[in-house]
Amino acid sequence: MDQVQEVRRNRAVVAASERVETLMLEGELEEADLLKLCEDLMHRLHRGTRQVVLDFADVSHLNYRGVRPLMARTDAFRRSGGDVKLSGLSPYLAAIFRAAGAHDAFELYPHMNDARAAFQLARAPFV
């Protein structure tokens, strides 16, 4: 069963299931907000979380300076056998990610359910 928790300070809402955690971001994310998100991701990684979806559907702007630290945290997840997938990026936000050098650093999905399903498909047994 999914559990939802609001984290107003980081302007994110977390929907967690037993295997994939989804952080639903909102508003304008400044560099400091993205650095706090990176810290939160590292805490989750240390607690055993390996699969995270960052949903940007309600984000109107983000500071490009926070993209590289986010890439570094994603690499840490991958080294631990997990991943961070992005969903809901508008063309504007996708352009910011590309301009920051993250054009191939993340798997992008139109909706958070698509990103969550990608984790499920990755571990589905072949018949």
Side-chain angles (χ1 to χ4, degrees):
M1 174 171 273
D2 283 352
Q3 187 180 69
V4 177
Q5 166 190 358
E6 273 194 59
V7 183
R8 292 185 194 276
R9 186 172 180 185
N10 292 336
R11 296 189 306 207
V13 177
V14 179
S17 71
E18 71 182 60
R19 296 183 190 246
V20 179
E21 291 189 12
T22 301
L23 281 70
M24 297 160 35
L25 308 171
E26 63 182 27
E28 293 187 12
L29 301 178
E30 297 300 326
E31 182 180 12
D33 298 319
L34 292 168
L35 293 176
K36 287 178 189 175
L37 173 62
C38 289
E39 285 179 28
D40 184 47
L41 287 172
M42 288 310 292
H43 289 296
R44 291 172 191 281
L45 182 62
H46 291 305
R47 285 194 326 253
T49 300
R50 294 294 180 263
Q51 299 174 332
V52 175
V53 173
L54 299 179
D55 183 53
F56 286 85
D58 293 326
V59 173
S60 58
H61 174 75
L62 64 89
N63 188 309
Y64 76 94
R65 288 185 210 105
V67 173
R68 289 223 180 247
L70 190 57
M71 291 168 55
R73 296 315 179 273
T74 298
D75 286 341
F77 269 79
R78 290 177 181 150
R79 285 191 306 272
S80 297
D83 202 359
V84 175
K85 299 179 188 299
L86 308 184
S87 67
L89 268 78
S90 66
Y92 171 71
L93 293 179
I96 292 173
F97 271 85
R98 277 192 307 277
H103 57 281
D104 60 353
F106 298 97
E107 289 182 31
L108 306 178
Y109 295 89
H111 191 270
M112 71 175 149
N113 290 337
D114 299 322
R116 292 174 62 83
F119 280 119
Q120 300 298 327
L121 290 173
R123 67 175 175 262
F126 292 99
V127 186

